[in-house]
Amino acid sequence: AQKVTQAQTEISVVEKEDVTLDCVYETRDTTYYLFWYKQPPSGELVFLIRRNSFDEQNEISGRYSWNFQKSTSSFNFTITASQVVDSAVYFCALSDISGNTPLVFGKGTRLSVIA
Amino acid sequence: ETGVTQSPTHLIKTRGQQVTLRCSSQSGHNTVSWYQQALGQGPQFIFQYYREEENGRGNFPPRFSGLQFPNYSSELNVNALELDDSALYLCASRDRFITGELFFGEGSRLTVL
């Protein structure tokens, strides 16, 4: 069975601080996809990144970066120089490599960035 | 390109009633899935539709049912509502033949009293 654990329920940081959101996953599949989604107060889940298990390179997109470590089954997300607009709930998710199975989500981490 | 739209955005029902939620998928997307997100939890998969047929279902009872129409839009029906059905219901669409991210709507927030 697949499982995603986001141990941090809530995090508060002051604007411009860096923050890392942790994600640990469990799967019996040897190949799979990992995702991060952002959920602002409007409710819509906004796609941030998809990473397949073949590729362990870290990825950077602007102020966002992701650290994938297959050896520890972790896919952590760092926001550099956080801004108030980053305040949201962030979800880590997992699916099989076909992409046709449903996403398995963690419980999310609520990030509050204080001005 | 039109995104995923859902209606209604908010609704209140009483226990035992029935509800229908609607979803218009993103243009060109032929697969629609529904998720239930209880307060403080991550989304849980309810079911998925492709070519008007259900082709995947999560751990939800039969009183949760759905439809997909030829234009790929979809409905989620819940019968005999229970208090625990109170949640945000999210619809997501994608192109089945393109492995990629799901595109989500803003959800329908259902409160059961």
Side-chain angles (χ1 to χ4, degrees), chain A residues 39 47 50 91 99-100 103, chain B residues 35 37 45 94 99 101-102:
Chain A
Q39 188 175 44
F47 169 83
R50 181 190 68 173
F91 291 96
N100 288 322
L103 294 179
Chain B
Y35 288 77
Q37 186 180 8
F45 174 69
R94 66 179 180 87
T99 303
E101 71 272 19
L102 289 176

Side-chain angles (χ1 to χ4, degrees), chain B residues 22-111:
Chain B
R22 295 177 176 82
C23 171
S24 292
S25 61
Q26 182 157 318
S27 176
H29 286 183
N30 51 29
T31 301
V32 173
S33 50
W34 287 89
Y35 288 77
Q36 180 197 64
Q37 186 180 8
L39 196 62
Q41 302 294 315
Q44 298 289 317
F45 174 69
I46 304 175
F47 44 56
Q48 175 173 284
Y49 277 82
Y50 170 67
R51 286 190 175 180
E52 303 175 50
E53 289 191 2
E54 182 182 299
N55 75 337
R57 189 177 183 94
N59 189 25
F60 281 81
R63 59 190 185 84
F64 285 78
S65 63
L67 287 172
Q68 186 182 30
F69 300 99
N71 66 354
Y72 305 134
S73 66
S74 177
E75 286 183 356
L76 163 65
N77 299 291
V78 187
N79 293 323
L81 285 167
E82 300 176 1
L83 299 180
D84 284 349
D85 295 333
S86 296
L88 179 68
Y89 289 85
L90 294 162
C91 173
S93 73
R94 66 179 180 87
D95 185 325
R96 181 179 176 86
F97 299 105
I98 298 176
T99 303
E101 71 272 19
L102 289 176
F103 292 83
F104 284 85
E106 291 190 353
S108 294
R109 185 165 297 282
L110 170 66
T111 301

Side-chain angles (χ1 to χ4, degrees), chain A:
Chain A
Q2 296 180 325
K3 184 179 178 182
V4 175
T5 301
Q6 295 180 254
Q8 304 151 309
T9 305
E10 294 191 36
I11 300 176
S12 287
V13 298
V14 176
E15 201 171 21
K16 298 184 183 177
E17 286 185 348
D18 299 347
V19 58
T20 295
L21 309 182
D22 297 334
C23 172
V24 175
Y25 62 92
E26 297 175 28
T27 180
R28 294 180 181 174
D29 295 336
T30 54
T31 55
Y32 45 87
Y33 282 120
L34 292 162
F35 302 78
W36 277 94
Y37 280 85
K38 174 182 179 180
Q39 188 175 44
S42 62
E44 178 183 0
L45 284 168
V46 178
F47 169 83
L48 297 178
I49 190 172
R50 181 190 68 173
R51 171 55 52 86
N52 73 51
S53 54
F54 294 103
D55 183 2
E56 291 195 59
Q57 283 189 348
N58 291 334
E59 182 157 343
I60 298 174
S61 176
R63 297 184 297 109
Y64 296 170
S65 62
W66 291 270
N67 183 346
F68 175 37
Q69 294 198 355
K70 205 168 182 178
S71 60
T72 57
S73 298
S74 66
F75 186 43
N76 296 337
F77 172 33
T78 297
I79 302 175
T80 302
S82 60
Q83 300 177 0
V84 173
V85 293
D86 296 327
S87 297
V89 181
Y90 290 86
F91 291 96
C92 181
L94 171 69
S95 79
D96 79 359
I97 203 68
S98 74
N100 288 322
T101 57
L103 294 179
V104 174
F105 286 86
K107 291 187 175 182
T109 298
R110 180 177 297 278
L111 174 65
S112 298
V113 180
I114 304 164

